[in-house]
Every structure is written in C-alpha cells, then in structure tokens.
Amino acid sequence: MDPIEPITPDSGSVVATLRQRIVEGALAAGERLAEIPVAASLGVSRTPVRLAFRALEQEGLLAKAGKRGYEVRSFSEADVRSAVEVRGTLEGLAVRHLAERGMTAEVRATLRGCVADGAALLAKGHLNDDDIGRWSRINKRFHDTLVQAHESRVIADAIARNDHLPFASASSIALDRSALPAEYQKLRIAQLQHQLVLDALERRESARAEMLMREHAWVGFRYGQLFGLPAGDSLGRALPG
C-alpha cells in the first residue's frame, strides 16, 4: 500500500465525519464512494476527500473499488472487539517494557506535553467541532510516542499491522457530533488515563502501566454507555448481527 499523505486539518475533519457516518450506519457496508459527490455533500474540495479516503483505507474501513472509487468494508462487532483487545495487549506490553527500562528525557517531555495539551483542550468544560481533530492529533502523538520509544520495532510493526483492521488504530476516533456533552465526558476519562499511564511510567510501575494501557484501549468502544451514548458507542447500529 502506498504511504499515506499527511492529514491536513481539513482532511482530518473529513476523516472524522466519514468515520462517524460508517459507525452510525449512514454509510453501509458495500456502499460505493467517489470523491466528487462526497466532496459536494461535505462542502469541501476533492483534495481533503482524497486524503480522507486513503486514511480510512489504511484503517480498514474502506476498500478500493475500481480505479478511483472506494467502498465501505464489511466487518463484525467481533472483529472490532478482537482488534481493540490486540492493540491494548500490544500497547500494554510496550509501556511495561518502557517502565522497566525508564523513559528518556525526550520521551518524558513529549508525553508530558500531550497530557498538558489534552488538559488545555478540555479545560473549557465542553467540546466543539474543532476539538475533535485536535484531540485526535494529541491522542495519536501520545500513543505513537509510547510505542516508538521501544528499542525494538517488533511491537510497533505488530501494532501497525493490527491498525489496518476496523477501529483498531488509536487514531480511529469516532465521536458523535450530535452528543458532544457525552463525548466530552468520555474524553475526560481518556485524558485521566493518559495522566495515570504517565504517572506509572515516571514511577516505573510496570505492571500498573500495562494494566492501565490495556484498559485504555476500550475507551472508544465501551465508555460512551456510561454517559448515555448507544451501546458500543454506536457501533451496534453500524455492525451486522
């Protein structure tokens, strides 16, 4: 697969919008997508749509159909659960090793910066549409730093392969724009878990760091129910069976 081009703020918003439509079932499995009609429906140019299609293909949500088109891939709830569990296990292993070995000054500074940026984003007490893309970038930087800090590429490569499964990637965040107060509460928990993981790493508590990271993987899939979002954070409506 070709390397994906950098996601711009515009294309990041399109990614989030299309991902949420897949979650909600508004874009059904097997549905064909093309750049021009999608761009027109979202009121954007074709460039961010093209980048969004490629990003969602990388995430396993779209598959190429024809020369320039894509279609929504079919996947089951069991597929998503298994992929999330695998990511949590692998990321947990990565942070356990990092806690045992100790963080470099650069890794510590980056993680502290992510936690500070997340706190600043949530400090106003609510979310707006722009916050979705900002949180996604903060979250990706946090997770990437943890995984890439490992001295071996084995775990990072395994996570990269798993990221091609639907909703497996840490950056595959689907937030319901019509329920931002509930989504805000969910992100507060995710932010707290980032803080706790960093605290465990700084204290070099490897077992605690691993446990926290495994639990953190489930935020997007389970935690919305605590705040009134549909079971599976709307995945139940998007998945067959």
Side-chain angles (χ1 to χ4, degrees):
M1 186 174 293
D2 295 336
I4 190 166
E5 298 174 57
I7 295 296
T8 66
D10 283 346
S11 60
S13 177
V14 174
V15 169
T17 298
L18 294 178
R19 187 190 294 125
Q20 183 61 28
R21 290 184 179 182
I22 293 171
V23 168
E24 295 171 345
L27 295 175
E31 184 168 345
R32 297 285 292 268
L33 302 178
E35 290 179 13
I36 294 176
V38 170
S41 71
L42 298 179
V44 299
S45 69
R46 293 176 61 182
T47 297
V49 172
R50 183 181 69 251
L51 295 176
F53 282 178
R54 295 189 66 192
L56 293 172
E57 181 191 11
Q58 290 277 332
E59 292 180 15
L61 295 179
L62 298 181
K64 286 185 177 178
K67 291 184 177 180
R68 301 182 64 86
Y70 288 83
E71 68 178 20
V72 180
R73 285 184 56 185
S74 175
F75 53 91
S76 69
E77 184 173 343
D79 293 335
V80 176
R81 287 182 178 276
S82 295
V84 169
E85 186 171 10
V86 168
R87 175 165 63 84
T89 299
L90 291 171
E91 289 185 335
L93 182 61
V95 298
R96 176 165 66 83
H97 288 177
L98 181 57
E100 291 170 350
R101 188 174 65 255
M103 293 183 288
T104 66
E106 181 181 4
V107 167
R108 181 181 288 106
T110 300
L111 294 176
R112 286 178 175 177
C114 292
V115 169
D117 290 345
L121 185 152
L122 298 174
K124 62 183 178 295
H126 64 272
L127 294 178
N128 55 45
D129 284 349
D130 292 340
D131 291 332
I132 295 175
R134 290 176 59 202
W135 173 265
S136 180
R137 292 188 290 275
I138 294 168
N139 188 62
K140 185 178 188 304
R141 187 165 76 250
F142 184 85
H143 284 257
D144 286 351
T145 300
L146 292 174
V147 173
Q148 293 168 8
H150 200 280
E151 57 189 352
S152 168
R153 286 289 310 170
V154 171
I155 295 176
D157 289 346
I159 290 174
R161 288 191 293 273
N162 192 63
D163 281 351
H164 293 306
L165 300 174
F167 297 101
S169 171
S171 61
S172 299
I173 298 175
L175 298 179
D176 187 346
R177 293 170 187 266
S178 67
L180 289 182
E183 296 289 10
Y184 173 79
Q185 297 301 327
K186 190 172 70 177
L187 291 192
R188 283 185 62 203
I189 293 181
Q191 167 69 10
L192 176 59
Q193 289 176 335
H194 283 184
Q195 292 176 290
L196 292 173
V197 168
L198 176 57
D199 179 70
L201 288 170
E202 291 186 322
R203 296 174 185 273
R204 301 189 70 168
E205 297 173 342
S206 57
R208 176 172 168 243
E210 180 177 14
M211 177 275 293
L212 287 166
M213 208 65 201
R214 285 183 177 228
E215 177 62 24
H216 181 59
W218 292 101
V219 169
F221 193 81
R222 290 179 174 167
Y223 281 40
Q225 298 172 63
L226 300 175
F227 308 109
L229 292 170
D233 284 7
S234 301
L235 281 174
R237 286 181 290 165
L239 299 175

